[in-house]
Amino acid sequence: MRSALVAATAFFSLAVTGQPVLAAEAPYVDDRSDAEAVIRSFYSAINRQEFARAWDYFGDTKPAKDFGAFVKGYDGTDTVEVKTGGVSEDGAAGSIYYNVPVAIRATARDGSENVFAGCYTLRQVNAQIQEPPFRPIFIDKGALKPSKANFEDAVPASCGDGPPPPKKDAALEQAKKAFAATYGDQCDKEMPGGEPLGEPDAYSLRYKNAGAEADEPERETRLFRFFCSMAAYNESAVYYVYDDISGVRQLQFASPELDIHYENNDSEGKVEAINVTGFQTDDQLVNSEYDDATKTISSLNKWRGVGDASSVGTYLFRNGNFSLVQYDVDASYDGEINPQTVVDYNTAP
């Protein structure tokens, strides 16, 4: 028999006074292929204010005394985010029951937020014994209660005999929070072409400090590369590192300030001299990548699309930090790629 939930038929209401949201702002999701997909589809309907669709994800036991009360429960709710944990299942009398750990963050139109957590039970009746109308997987009941935990940590470890959720990468989660806090409104929300942003590129760099004894253990620094934006021919990225001493910190990249002299002061003419007058720091790199074989981050900033004028920076990882070791500049708009090195720290003093 399936495991009983603590609060078998309890449900919750997000009752906040306010104006309704615009349904078109949220994506339409209607996927009943598995229990987790049904939960996400249910909240898709809530976010779009398609309450008849949301109501239909439940079976005979509905989440409110009537449809009107169900709709009223979401007055003033702007958006609802949902996270799910490890799903467990149990078969009984021609049905499969699924227990889904769930946490939601409900944001009201006044900006206030509330976190709820608990379990949903969903039922899948054996399709071979059904008669029309066919009933796909549906929500049998739900029990969510207010939670004092952060939304990211509020999903219950399990429901019934379900497996615990996978262990989180704490360093990655901290880096993602730092990036979202600083660049959430500055960087693109999706990749070019409209596809959603994936996880940042992540690397593990193991090393020993200069002068370390032979028997000293290696240290580890994590490197995270976040896509930020793309223009016609340049793509920018933001980098964070993590270690067990400093935690997460954003990388800032040194670059030289240049005084470029052209023949007859014509930028289309011959380059007479490139002088370094100082240094600045950049919080983003253009057309950059990390090479684990050389432990370097390189960037290529095209000054125009054909790439005949550009600047290239190379940053080497040593003793736990990335340092500028070379900077090359092609300042001539001559249709050829012919850079000259203006900074060279590759040779030890």
Side-chain angles (χ1 to χ4, degrees):
M1 294 297 291
R2 60 191 174 93
S3 301
L5 296 177
V6 175
T9 58
F11 200 70
F12 68 95
S13 171
L14 305 175
V16 186
T17 303
Q19 298 298 319
V21 299
L22 296 176
E25 293 179 353
Y28 181 88
V29 179
D30 182 18
D31 183 353
R32 308 190 190 212
S33 59
D34 59 45
E36 183 181 9
V38 172
I39 296 300
R40 297 192 176 278
S41 299
F42 168 69
Y43 284 107
S44 163
I46 295 298
N47 280 326
R48 292 172 60 88
Q49 290 202 332
E50 297 168 352
F51 294 115
R53 179 163 70 95
W55 181 264
D56 188 61
Y57 288 113
F58 287 84
D60 294 335
T61 303
K62 299 298 185 182
K65 64 179 181 179
D66 56 43
F67 181 66
F70 173 68
V71 174
K72 187 173 178 58
Y74 290 95
D75 281 353
T77 301
D78 189 9
T79 58
V80 181
E81 300 171 74
V82 60
K83 286 182 175 291
T84 58
V87 179
S88 63
E89 63 180 73
D90 192 11
S95 296
I96 300 175
Y97 291 89
Y98 302 93
N99 294 317
V100 185
V102 171
I104 67 167
R105 175 165 55 194
T107 303
R109 289 187 61 80
D110 63 5
S112 61
E113 295 181 350
N114 291 284
V115 175
F116 299 84
C119 297
Y120 280 94
T121 298
L122 293 88
R123 181 181 178 188
Q124 180 179 10
V125 179
N126 188 338
Q128 294 179 345
I129 65 175
Q130 291 195 49
E131 296 181 357
F134 173 75
R135 187 63 168 156
I137 301 175
F138 60 87
I139 302 172
D140 191 42
K141 55 193 172 186
L144 302 185
K145 297 180 179 180
S147 173
K148 294 182 180 180
N150 293 328
F151 174 56
E152 291 77 9
D153 304 318
V155 177
S158 63
C159 293
D161 298 325
K167 187 176 181 181
K168 291 184 177 180
D169 185 335
L172 173 60
E173 293 301 316
Q174 290 182 40
K176 289 165 68 173
K177 289 181 181 179
F179 175 75
T182 305
Y183 296 95
D185 295 330
Q186 300 180 36
C187 294
D188 295 343
K189 299 296 190 298
E190 57 187 25
M191 295 292 290
E195 61 269 27
L197 291 175
E199 292 288 282
D201 296 327
Y203 307 92
S204 175
L205 290 71
R206 295 188 175 276
Y207 68 99
K208 288 187 177 182
N209 284 325
E213 299 294 334
D215 59 349
E216 286 189 25
E218 286 186 327
R219 300 185 61 185
E220 180 186 23
T221 292
R222 301 285 302 283
L223 174 68
F224 303 102
R225 179 188 184 277
F226 290 83
F227 168 83
C228 181
S229 63
M230 176 173 283
Y233 43 84
N234 284 325
E235 173 188 313
S236 68
V238 179
Y239 287 82
Y240 288 84
V241 291
Y242 170 89
D243 60 50
D244 57 1
I245 296 177
S246 302
V248 166
R249 57 188 173 86
Q250 184 182 353
L251 287 180
Q252 301 286 337
F253 297 93
S255 62
E257 296 179 339
L258 304 175
D259 179 24
I260 304 174
H261 294 269
Y262 294 94
E263 188 176 60
N264 299 321
N265 292 323
D266 180 7
S267 62
E268 298 292 330
K270 180 181 178 181
V271 176
E272 294 183 329
I274 302 176
N275 300 315
V276 176
T277 60
F279 287 86
Q280 63 183 19
T281 57
D282 300 319
D283 65 334
Q284 301 178 36
L285 287 184
V286 177
N287 299 330
S288 63
E289 61 181 11
Y290 170 70
D291 183 351
D292 194 49
T294 60
K295 296 292 189 292
T296 58
I297 299 174
S298 59
S299 66
L300 168 60
N301 188 354
K302 296 181 180 180
W303 296 3
R304 68 177 181 180
V306 295
D308 60 341
S310 63
S311 54
V312 177
T314 303
Y315 303 86
L316 174 65
F317 180 79
R318 52 190 174 191
N319 298 324
N321 288 295
F322 282 91
S323 303
L324 175 68
V325 294
Q326 186 167 327
Y327 204 85
D328 302 314
V329 177
D330 185 350
S332 60
Y333 298 85
D334 58 2
E336 298 180 1
I337 299 176
N338 46 8
Q340 59 178 294
T341 300
V342 297
V343 172
D344 185 3
Y345 298 130
N346 277 305
T347 304

